Amino acid sequence: MMFPKLIDSIPLLRGESIVKSLAGSFGSTLRETRITALLGYLIALKPDEFISFFGFRGKTRGVVLESRHESDRSDVLIETTKGVGIIEAKTDASDPFEQVKKYKAKWKVLLTRYRPASNQKKIRNIEYFLWKDLTHA
């Protein structure tokens, strides 16, 4: 049998359809909060790798899911010896920028399928990541 040339990723099928997103791999009823809870769990298992990947500094002290802030809740809050980092995640292509502006944190990560404009990439202390970027964490 001849296999195609090795590539970075291969199609994932659910039934007979190609899965186009992380949420899609779980089916149609998965809520965004479940995905971010899984992300928080994985971060708690290997915090040093994730905080380095996201650009946070210091030694991890704790990971909190759905942390309350003055006017909203962040998906994942990571406290380190050097400060607090927030991860705001969207399973679709929406931009969580307006939401994350409300949070007081040294680092803010926007994890989404949204592709930021060039001026958004230059905003201090805010980093955009695509879900597929996590494969490099």
Side-chain angles (χ1 to χ4, degrees):
M1 174 179 256
M2 292 284 296
F3 288 100
K5 181 175 85 172
L6 292 177
I7 55 175
D8 289 339
S9 64
I10 58 172
L12 172 64
L13 299 176
R14 182 175 180 82
E16 296 180 12
S17 300
I18 293 177
V19 173
K20 296 181 179 172
S21 69
L22 178 62
S25 68
F26 291 95
S28 61
T29 60
L30 183 67
R31 295 186 331 193
E32 188 174 272
T33 55
R34 300 298 182 243
I35 293 289
T36 56
L38 175 61
L39 175 63
Y41 177 79
L42 294 173
I43 291 170
L45 290 176
K46 296 282 188 177
D48 293 341
E49 286 86 349
F50 279 98
I51 67 165
S52 174
F53 177 76
F54 288 128
F56 299 178
R57 303 282 186 257
K59 183 77 175 147
T60 307
R61 288 186 170 162
V63 178
V64 180
L65 299 174
E66 298 183 24
S67 180
R68 282 229 171 261
H69 299 265
E70 290 177 20
S71 62
D72 214 340
R73 290 183 305 190
S74 60
D75 291 331
V76 182
L77 180 145
I78 301 171
E79 182 181 352
T80 77
T81 54
K82 303 281 186 178
V84 171
I86 298 289
I87 300 172
E88 190 59 42
K90 299 293 179 200
T91 56
D92 58 14
S94 61
D95 184 4
F97 178 75
E98 290 301 319
Q99 186 175 353
V100 82
K101 282 191 333 186
K102 303 174 194 174
Y103 309 139
K104 294 177 182 165
K106 191 169 190 171
W107 311 283
K108 298 172 185 179
V109 165
L110 307 178
L111 185 58
T112 179
R113 292 174 56 206
Y114 174 79
R115 298 209 181 253
S118 59
N119 63 327
Q120 290 177 300
K121 293 178 184 179
K122 298 174 185 175
I123 299 172
R124 186 172 172 224
N125 295 335
I126 295 180
E127 292 289 332
Y128 281 87
F129 288 89
L130 298 173
W131 280 98
K132 71 178 186 173
D133 295 336
L134 291 179
T135 61
H136 303 290

